[in-house]
Amino acid sequence: MDPETSIDGLPRFSPVAFNDHAGQLWIVSILSLIYTVLVVTARAYIKYKMFGFDDILIALALVFHLAQSIALFVGLDSGLGKFNSITPMEQLATSSKSTLAAVILGLLALSLAKCSLLGLILRIIGSRSGKIRPFCIGLMILSGAWGIGSCVVLLVKCRADTTLSLDNLKKCPDQNKRWAVITAIDIFTEILTWLLTVRLSWTVNMSVTHKCQVVMAFSFRIPLIALSVCHLAYFSKYPTSAEPQFAVTNSLLFQQAMIAWSLISATVPNLRNFLKSFSIGMGFPLPVDASIYGSNTVYALRSLENTHPQVTPSAAAAPTAGMVASTFVSIHGHSDSDPRAQPRNWRPDQVLNQNRVSHYFHNNNRDSSLGIEEDFRTGSREMIIQKEVAWSITYGDHH
């Protein structure tokens, strides 16, 4: 069968043949772009109106990924993935420039994804004192410097229009050494980032199960180490190949996979509420989120048995002499409809219930008309109940 036509006789968009693997690069590049756009869009929805510096960085990484994909598409349209022997010289120059631009933009996207993950860790740390915060800031600076430095290293003493030509080693020497240094620093920063998350989670006072959940969420970046090594292994074969424009295809395939996985893994720790909606606990049971399901259950929180205070005759005349004998607090969760009919809440800031605070105060003393107004003017109790709590709270006094 003619490789230029499909099974139904229609012409192929990008045929795959022994001297043309452009179709593989088209497929991986398009899928990579689709996956990253979907994941970043889900992250934007979940964190709407709660964006931080890490979200800005991941958005910039997506922009660079889009630009990198466009550069790659231009190169594919000019002969990238084909034998040099069947590619005109004019197209070979365009293909070389586009490939170098795609590699540079890809490195910047990878660097921004690293910094986004470290920015999330920095937000988790907050203003916490100790060595973890400055270490995280230093690692973020190192990751940013790695991205910029890698671009400079690849551009120094290299002609862009000869990147995929047969004499590319003469026009751009020591390419293997450059990529070896870039890959080593990349792997080093990934290992440090993972160790930082392990160190941070083990210093927090929570159960081992939850600690493992946190570590697993950040461990999604570990496969990037293997992808980076494979990228280096395939890239080292292309400069000395008899068909550099064809041989570079495998390294570009791994680069596309690296970019997609880097952006996705940097977003996974932000998708906890989204994943809980599908009951996916990453191998561990997740606690029930009260923001997802309504509740009409009454929970008795506390019972305080208070006795009448000892008062002196002079103090007995005071209007506050009458005291409650006992106090209990109960919380009533209420919903406007059947909780099972409520949609699952993928965003942490959406509240299905409303607040209602009631304080019933019974006192036999005739001067107990101070009541709620006097109690709230003192400011001693209202700060205990935060506005974000979506429950009906009732205080009752029993003698």
Side-chain angles (χ1 to χ4, degrees), residues 43 54 113-114 116-125 136 190-191 193-201 206 210-224 261-262 264-270 282:
R43 173 175 178 156
D54 57 313
K114 287 176 182 284
S116 174
L117 185 67
L118 291 168
L120 175 62
I121 297 175
L122 200 60
R123 291 181 65 185
I124 296 174
I125 297 173
C136 183
E190 291 294 343
I191 294 175
T193 301
W194 185 79
L195 292 177
L196 176 63
T197 59
V198 174
R199 176 71 176 86
L200 177 62
S201 61
M206 58 183 181
H210 290 159
K211 290 179 181 179
C212 292
Q213 280 185 263
V214 173
V215 173
M216 285 194 65
F218 287 95
S219 297
F220 275 85
R221 294 191 64 85
I222 292 180
L224 284 172
W261 192 257
S262 182
I264 293 172
S265 60
T267 302
V268 167
N270 296 271
M282 291 180 288

Side-chain angles (χ1 to χ4, degrees), residues 32-53:
S32 172
L33 192 59
I34 291 174
Y35 292 153
T36 52
V37 168
L38 290 176
V39 171
V40 174
T41 302
R43 173 175 178 156
Y45 171 75
I46 293 172
K47 301 186 70 176
Y48 180 62
K49 293 184 179 180
M50 297 184 298
F51 296 129
F53 183 62

Side-chain angles (χ1 to χ4, degrees), residues 285-364:
L286 286 175
V288 178
D289 191 350
S291 63
I292 297 179
Y293 303 100
S295 175
N296 291 319
T297 308
V298 178
Y299 302 93
L301 293 184
R302 190 177 179 184
S303 179
L304 301 177
E305 297 295 337
N306 297 330
T307 58
H308 291 279
Q310 300 295 329
V311 295
T312 61
S314 59
T320 59
M323 301 297 291
V324 297
S326 63
T327 302
F328 74 94
V329 181
S330 61
I331 296 180
H332 303 266
H334 67 88
S335 179
D336 295 333
S337 60
D338 187 358
R340 290 172 294 183
Q342 293 289 346
R344 294 180 180 268
N345 181 20
W346 290 357
R347 286 176 45 81
D349 60 329
Q350 293 179 349
V351 179
L352 300 179
N353 303 307
Q354 296 180 351
N355 301 343
R356 187 183 68 220
V357 180
S358 303
H359 188 176
Y360 300 98
F361 186 89
H362 298 283
N363 198 334
N364 295 328

Side-chain angles (χ1 to χ4, degrees), residues 40 48 62 372 387:
V40 174
Y48 180 62
L62 181 62
I372 303 174
K387 183 180 180 180

